[in-house]
Structures are given as structure tokens and as C-alpha cells.
Amino acid sequence: MQVKSTRRSNPERTAEMRARLVATARRLFVAHGYAATSTPAIVEAAGVTRGALYHHFADKQAIFRAVVEAESADVALAIAAADAPELSAQARLLAGAKAYVQAMQAEGRTRLLLIEGPAVLGRDEIRAIEARNGDASLKTGLGEAIAAGALPRLPLNALASLLSAMFERAAIDVVEGVAPADVLAVIEQILRGLATD
């Protein structure tokens, strides 16, 4: 009888260490901001060596980028989870909008993605991250709504960009105290106003 080894493989250990560092860095970036969080603080809080940190990340900006990538991917997953293909194209857009507003209420997420992300990584890099995640979902949904005749044939890239900016502002407003229900009521009316029927 062969006994299963409980030892983890190198890729598993690498993935666990990377996840630990990203989770620790996220917690510190949320608590103190990017500028006030040092790599020694991340190392100490994660209980690892500096060598372990620099094995996975070239510098503080690289670990911040990984945090932002993970946050953006989590938002995209929340939007995907709210999708219901049996609904109309417009109802799917509204479900995605609600999922986005809710997902952005995770502690510190709006600050990481919409405030510090562009300041630290630059607008071009943040747009590239968004394009792979939430904006990709939005663009797909809008394309489907246009194809279904639920929205007018508007330039897709411009429409997605402008609506994305609206959603980002909505997330900031909610964090600053505007009721999510109020924000969603306005978003719903704007999306309904775009409808062709």
C-alpha cells in the first residue's frame, strides 16, 4: 500500500507564499495607503524574509500591482456570478451594474482600484487591468445588448468607456456615503434611457 505524501510541491508552496504576501500587502495598503506601507512592514506582517518577498516581487510597486490585479479579478468574478443568460440583455446589464456596486463596497477596494491604483501604476496600466476584468464584462454585455436590439448601435468602445466612468464614480460615491440604492436607481434609469424600446 502506497502512502500519500503530505508534502506540498514547489508550485503549491510558491502559490501559497505569493498569496500570503498579496493578502498581507492588501491589508496594509488598505490600512495605511500605498505611500505609508513599506516592504519591511509587509515582510514583518507576513512573517517572511525579505528574500522571500523579493523572490516573488521586484519591488513594492510590483506587489501593489498584484493586489490591484487580484481586486479587479474579484470584481469581474462577482459580475460574472450575477449574470443570468436567461434574462434580457438589459436585465443582464442591470444585474452586472448591481454586482459591480456591491463588489466595490469591499473594504478598501475602491481606494485601491480607483484612487491609488491610477496614481501608483498610471492610468494606462490601470486601464489595461480593467480591460482584462470588469471592463471586459461590461463591453461584452453592451455588445450583446446592441446585437439583441436592446441598445442603439452606438460606438461600443466609447459607450463602454463612458459607462465604466459612471460606474467608477458610483463606487466612489457609495464609499463616500451615498446610499447604494440611490446610486443604483440612477444607473438603472440611465441604462433604461439608453434602451431602444
Side-chain angles (χ1 to χ4, degrees):
M1 181 174 160
Q2 192 174 15
V3 177
K4 267 186 143 177
S5 171
T6 57
R7 289 184 59 196
R8 295 168 299 160
S9 68
N10 279 342
E12 288 172 326
R13 287 194 305 272
T14 296
E16 287 175 12
M17 177 59 73
R18 186 176 169 84
R20 179 177 175 183
L21 287 165
V22 169
T24 301
R26 184 203 189 282
R27 186 168 35 84
L28 294 176
F29 289 140
V30 167
H32 308 293
Y34 177 82
T37 300
S38 65
T39 53
I42 295 169
V43 165
E44 182 180 340
V48 301
T49 65
R50 283 181 60 126
L53 174 69
Y54 290 115
H55 174 74
H56 295 280
F57 302 100
D59 54 21
K60 182 169 83 166
Q61 189 178 54
I63 196 167
F64 182 77
R65 183 180 300 106
V67 168
V68 168
E69 288 271 10
E71 292 297 303
S72 187
D74 284 349
V75 171
L77 286 172
I79 294 168
D83 191 23
E86 70 278 2
L87 296 177
S88 70
Q90 188 174 22
R92 291 172 73 191
L93 283 172
L94 290 172
K98 289 176 185 176
Y100 173 82
V101 169
Q102 185 173 8
M104 289 300 287
Q105 291 178 57
E107 183 185 5
R109 184 170 282 161
T110 297
R111 178 180 173 185
L112 289 169
L113 293 178
L114 304 181
I115 313 277
E116 292 200 330
V120 173
L121 301 175
R123 190 64 196 145
D124 288 344
E125 190 163 353
I126 284 295
R127 282 190 175 231
I129 291 169
E130 291 170 348
R132 291 190 295 272
N133 293 294
D135 281 0
S137 301
L138 176 59
K139 198 169 181 181
T140 298
L142 291 169
E144 290 172 358
I146 290 169
L151 292 178
R153 292 205 169 276
L154 295 168
L156 183 57
N157 288 336
L159 180 60
S161 179
L162 291 172
L163 289 178
S164 177
M166 175 185 70
F167 291 135
E168 288 177 5
R169 182 54 194 243
I172 291 170
D173 285 353
V174 168
V175 166
E176 291 178 349
V178 177
D182 290 349
V183 166
L184 287 168
V186 172
I187 289 172
E188 182 172 354
Q189 190 58 46
I190 288 170
L191 291 177
R192 288 193 189 287
L194 283 171
T196 55
D197 52 5

